[in-house]
Amino acid sequence: MSAAPLKLAVVAGEVSGDLLGGDLAAALKRRYGGPVELVGVGGEALEAQGLRSLFDYSELSIMGFIQVIKRLPKLLARIRQTADAIIAAKPDVLLIIDSPDFTHRVAKRVRKALPDLPIVNYVCPSVWAWKEYRAQKMLAYVDHVLAVLPFEPAAMERLDGPATTYVGHRLTVDADLLETRRQRTLRGLAGPDAQKTILLLPGSRASEIRQLLPVFERATEELSRRNDNVRYLLPTVPKQEALVRSLIESWSAKPEILIGQDAKWQAFARADAAMAASGTVILELGLAGVPVVSTYKTEWLARFVMSRIKVWTAALPNLIADYAVLPELINDVLRPGLLARYMERLSSDSPERRAMLAGYDLVWQRMQTEEPPGDKAAAIILAVVSNKKTGHL
C-alpha cells in the first residue's frame, strides 16, 4: 500500500535554482513511498517533474539595485501571488531555492499564515558575506538549510542561524562537467608553439555583458599583439546572442561565438585559460580545471555598499580552499593590460598555472559527498516533514 500523496511547494527564481529543484524532486519521487505533487514557481527542470509554474520564472532573474527598483511593483505582486497560491494549496513542505530577495519574502508570508508548515531553504544565503544578522532572522521562517558549499554549515552555526547541512553541489556530479574534466586530463596542455585558446565569459545578463566586453576587447587586442597564434572562444546563451554579436562586430581580434550548453562545455574542454565574470561560472571553470581570472564591474550605486561586505573574496574556489587560488580583478583594478598578462601566464606551463591547478584539486576534494546532492537533500526534506508531524522539529 503506497503512502498518501506528498505535496511539495517549491519556489525557484533562476535557472540554477530550477535545476537544483528538478534534481531534488526526482530524488524525492524515488525515495518517497507514494506520489509527489508539486506547486509553485520554477522552470523547465521542475516542470519536467510535474510542476505547473504560476508564472514565467525568468521574470525573477534580475540583478542590481537599479533593476530591482525599476521592477519593484511587479515583484511585490508576484510575491503576494506566489505566497497566496501556496497557502491555498496547504502543502506538506515548502522548499525555497536561492533568489533570497524573492523566495524569503514568500516564505515569511507563508509562515505567518501556516505556522506549522515546515520550510526548507536550498542554497544558503550569503549571510557569511554581508548582513550577518540575516542568519538569526531566518530562524523565524526557515527550519533547515541545505548548503551547497562545504564551509556554510560552520558559518551558519557561528552566526546562530537555522540548522544547516552540506548536501553537496550539483556540479560535482554533473555529467557534462565530469566529461570535460576527463577530456582535459587526456588532452593536457599544448606545447609552447601551439595555438592558445582563450575563453571569454562576460556573463549571462545584459548588464554584465555590456560592462565587461569592452574590457575583454582591449585585453584580447593586447594579448594578440604580444603573442602569435591566439584564438578566442565566447560561449553565450541564446537570448544574449544578438547583443554579443553587436558588441564584438568591430573587434580586431574577433572571438568565435558559441551558443548553448553543449558548445560551452566543449569550449571548456579545449580552453587553455579563461577571463570570466564573477559568479557560478568561476566554480564551473575551477572544477573543470580551466585556469581563470575572475572579473567584475559593479553598478555605480552598488559601490557605495561594498565596504559592508565582510567576506575576503567573491570567488567560490577561494572561499572553499580558504586561500587565494585565483585572482580577482574588480572595478578600477580590472585593467586590460593586466588581464592580458594573466592570460599569458595561465595558458602556459608556468608556476602560476600549476599553483592554480593544485588549488583546484583541493577544492574538488573538499566538495565531495558520499551520496549525490539531490538524494541527500531529498532525505533531509523527508526527515523535516516527519519531524514536524511528530513535533520533533
Side-chain angles (χ1 to χ4, degrees):
M1 183 176 179
S2 64
L6 177 72
K7 185 176 288 187
L8 171 70
V10 59
V11 184
E14 294 199 32
V15 173
S16 58
D18 175 58
L19 291 171
L20 290 173
D23 184 47
L24 188 152
L28 202 57
K29 289 179 179 180
R30 292 193 298 268
R31 283 178 173 263
Y32 187 62
V36 177
E37 301 173 4
L38 276 66
V39 60
V41 177
E44 293 180 0
L46 279 164
E47 288 172 347
Q49 297 300 322
L51 175 70
R52 297 183 67 177
S53 185
L54 296 169
F55 55 86
D56 185 346
Y57 81 137
S58 66
E59 292 181 22
L60 308 179
S61 183
I62 59 176
M63 188 175 185
F65 296 113
I66 295 173
Q67 291 187 53
V68 171
I69 290 169
K70 285 181 178 178
R71 298 172 61 178
L72 189 58
K74 184 70 173 287
L75 286 172
L76 292 175
R78 289 305 194 192
I79 289 169
R80 289 192 297 271
Q81 176 190 0
T82 305
D84 290 347
I86 291 170
I87 292 165
K90 293 183 171 58
D92 296 294
V93 59
L94 168 59
L95 175 68
I96 56 173
I97 309 176
D98 213 356
S99 306
D101 288 336
F102 184 85
T103 61
H104 284 229
R105 286 174 169 81
V106 170
K108 290 175 186 178
R109 293 176 71 93
V110 172
R111 174 52 58 89
K112 188 174 181 181
L114 302 174
D116 294 327
L117 176 69
I119 299 177
V120 177
N121 182 186
Y122 200 170
V123 182
C124 181
S126 53
V127 292
W128 35 264
W130 75 313
K131 294 185 178 179
E132 293 180 337
Y133 61 84
R134 291 178 296 162
Q136 283 191 19
K137 287 184 175 294
M138 287 171 61
L139 291 168
Y141 59 91
V142 170
D143 297 303
H144 206 103
V145 177
L146 308 177
V148 299
L149 300 173
F151 61 84
E152 290 177 323
M156 288 295 278
E157 183 176 7
R158 174 176 59 84
L159 298 173
D160 297 321
T164 302
T165 303
Y166 174 58
V167 298
H169 199 291
R170 67 175 181 85
L171 286 173
T172 61
V173 293
D174 183 272
D176 291 323
L177 189 141
L178 293 173
E179 175 60 18
T180 299
R181 281 177 61 90
R182 188 188 72 82
Q183 289 185 29
R184 291 187 63 80
T185 300
L186 292 174
R187 171 179 174 268
L189 181 65
D193 297 325
Q195 184 183 53
K196 297 296 183 183
T197 299
I198 305 298
L199 271 186
L200 311 179
L201 294 157
S204 59
R205 296 179 174 90
S207 57
E208 294 175 318
I209 293 168
R210 289 193 176 95
Q211 291 270 27
L212 288 176
L213 272 187
V215 180
F216 287 5
E217 177 186 12
R218 295 193 294 275
T220 58
E221 286 176 350
E222 182 149 359
L223 186 58
S224 293
R225 278 198 305 269
R226 292 168 57 91
N227 301 271
D228 295 327
N229 208 11
V230 181
R231 69 167 176 170
Y232 305 96
L233 303 179
L234 200 167
T236 191
V237 294
K239 68 178 180 179
Q240 302 296 358
E241 180 181 359
L243 173 62
V244 168
R245 289 193 184 280
S246 68
L247 291 174
I248 70 162
E249 189 174 1
S250 61
W251 284 28
S252 59
K254 193 167 294 186
E256 178 185 352
I257 296 176
L258 307 171
I259 308 300
Q261 287 295 306
D262 289 344
K264 182 192 83 169
W265 288 115
Q266 290 170 17
F268 276 32
R270 288 144 55 193
D272 293 298
M275 55 183 85
S278 177
T280 303
V281 72
I282 302 298
L283 183 59
E284 290 181 343
L285 291 161
L287 294 176
V290 183
V292 64
V293 174
S294 177
T295 67
Y296 210 73
K297 279 198 166 187
T298 58
E299 293 176 338
W300 65 269
L301 191 57
R303 300 188 188 199
F304 289 103
V305 300
M306 287 190 70
S307 61
R308 299 171 61 188
I309 296 176
K310 300 292 183 68
V311 73
W312 62 273
T313 176
L316 292 178
N318 292 351
L319 287 168
I320 295 165
D322 197 30
Y323 76 91
V325 173
L326 59 91
E328 300 171 278
L329 305 183
I330 302 174
N331 293 333
D332 295 340
V333 183
L334 178 52
R335 299 177 181 177
L338 180 56
L339 191 52
R341 286 161 176 81
Y342 267 123
M343 291 300 100
E344 288 177 345
R345 301 297 294 174
L346 294 176
S347 63
S348 60
D349 186 21
S350 64
E352 292 86 353
R353 179 186 176 92
R354 291 193 294 270
M356 191 177 295
L357 294 179
Y360 286 168
D361 288 341
L362 176 61
V363 171
W364 180 263
Q365 293 167 17
R366 290 189 172 177
M367 294 188 69
Q368 297 306 299
T369 54
E370 293 182 357
E371 59 183 326
D375 288 282
K376 191 167 184 178
I380 293 171
I381 290 277
L382 293 174
V384 168
V385 172
S386 176
N387 289 339
K388 194 77 171 184
K389 287 179 179 178
T390 57
H392 294 145
L393 191 63

